Amino acid sequence: GGRFGKPSISKQTVTFADVAGQDQAKREVSELVDFLREPDRFQRVGAEVPHGVLLVGPPGTGKTLLAKALAGEANVPFFSTSGSEFIEIFVGVGAGRVRKMFEAARKAAPSIIFIDELDSIGRTRGTGLGGGHDEREQTLNQILAELDGFGGREAVVVLAATNRPDVLDPALLRPGRFDRHVTLNLPDKPARRAILDIHAKGLPIEDPADLDMIAAGTPGFSGADLKNLLNEAAITAARRDGRLITRDDLGEARDKVMMGTVRSLAIRP
Ligand code: ATP
């Protein structure tokens, strides 16, 4: 999304094949592909398909990636914004933007709306103190109104991502709103290996078997961490003017990302 909270629209080329692991989440989300591809089939028999899907999971586990993959698989336009972009903007602006985004998505239906970091806008109302509080509340109210405004059969799926479902305003989770939850988890060893494979494509890894070692030695790493690790290893190789990414490069990169992870976890509120 834009820096000042302008929602963006795009066509996605990402598919489920780009999302490693997360089999359960992929299965659940893929149920929406048929509906988005051929909403008529559902509409003509009066079938109501859920509009609001909450993607829940730790940072970097592929929530955004999965939402994009759904758009790519269904071949529908992807409208996206982030809750954090609505903080510190003028009162009324956020609500207006939400309204416009939903309007555009309805016009473009079948389509997908993705709201990243829902928790930054969707925290329980009435707990903030001054500041952007009124603005945040208005924006949240607008999101609720838009969700309620869907006729049961409109072909717009609204996905929202959060790593803090516990702080969400309960109003967001009521039936007809984000009443379907899909959980993404930190990857286990085989999933880490699969994620490394995806992101190592095109990289000159000296011995691909080293990726087994990395997968084994990175419990707690997210998909985003593993992607960073490979990039860090490539940078390390470039710095020493190497042609191939060696086991040492990978090991060094692993340590760096691990320290970075520890540090960023420590400062997280
Ligand atoms: P955040 O909560 O921090 O927004 P997120 O859950 O939305 O994180 P993404 O932004 O989708 O995570 O992940 C960041 C990047 O990490 C992705 O663009 C992708 O390259 C990589 N990645 C994460 N998970 C996976 C996965 N399961 N398979 C392949 N790549 C992944």
Side-chain angles (χ1 to χ4, degrees):
R3 184 155 165 247
F4 298 107
K6 283 261 192 294
S8 72
I9 175 175
S10 58
K11 210 172 139 49
Q12 292 302 325
T13 52
V14 179
T15 67
F16 288 137
D18 297 305
V19 186
Q22 311 294 5
D23 294 337
Q24 170 82 10
K26 274 200 270 188
R27 225 175 357 257
E28 287 172 20
V29 166
S30 69
E31 286 171 18
L32 296 164
V33 173
D34 288 338
F35 171 61
L36 287 166
R37 278 194 191 144
E38 289 181 89
D40 293 353
R41 265 208 283 154
F42 294 76
Q43 286 156 344
R44 71 176 169 234
V45 295
E48 290 190 10
V49 172
H51 284 293
V53 179
L54 192 64
L55 304 174
V56 180
T61 46
K63 300 183 289 297
T64 306
L65 191 66
L66 185 62
K68 286 181 174 173
L70 174 60
E73 294 280 348
N75 195 23
V76 299
F78 184 76
F79 294 81
S80 81
T81 189
S82 173
S84 62
E85 291 173 358
F86 290 107
I87 293 169
E88 288 174 13
I89 55 175
F90 297 110
V91 173
V93 172
R97 273 183 200 158
V98 167
R99 195 171 54 243
K100 282 201 189 109
M101 182 174 69
F102 274 78
E103 196 179 279
R106 282 188 163 102
K107 271 197 195 128
S111 62
I112 289 175
I113 291 176
F114 176 64
I115 306 172
D116 203 2
E117 302 180 63
L118 181 66
D119 44 281
S120 58
I121 195 89
R123 279 171 190 263
T124 304
R125 286 167 292 182
T127 54
L129 293 170
H133 175 57
D134 286 345
E135 169 53 30
R136 195 185 62 79
E137 225 168 72
Q138 277 192 22
T139 308
L140 173 55
N141 287 337
Q142 189 64 38
I143 291 173
L144 295 173
E146 295 292 346
L147 291 169
D148 291 346
F150 280 123
R153 292 159 209 171
E154 264 176 290
V156 179
V157 169
V158 187
L159 300 165
T162 184
N163 46 37
R164 294 294 311 274
D166 53 309
V167 301
L168 290 180
D169 194 306
L172 277 166
L173 309 178
R174 289 208 189 108
R177 295 174 178 170
F178 293 106
D179 50 5
R180 258 240 221 158
H181 295 190
V182 172
T183 305
L184 287 92
N185 298 305
L186 286 171
D188 60 9
K189 190 170 114 185
R192 291 197 296 275
R193 183 67 171 94
I195 292 169
L196 287 166
D197 268 337
I198 284 181
H199 294 287
K201 249 179 225 135
L203 295 181
I205 308 278
E206 186 173 53
D207 182 359
D210 289 341
L211 295 180
D212 288 332
M213 170 199 79
I214 295 297
T218 47
F221 275 45
S222 68
D225 292 333
L226 293 166
K227 184 184 179 185
N228 272 341
L229 183 158
L230 287 172
N231 190 51
E232 213 31 74
I235 289 171
T236 309
R239 286 224 177 92
R240 57 168 183 74
D241 205 17
R243 295 286 177 273
L244 297 173
I245 298 170
T246 64
R247 170 182 278 233
D248 283 350
D249 296 331
L250 291 165
E252 204 173 300
R254 186 195 77 124
D255 293 347
K256 270 195 196 148
V257 175
M258 200 175 268
M259 282 187 291
T261 306
V262 170
R263 207 178 313 127
S264 67
L265 281 177
I267 57 166
R268 210 160 273 160

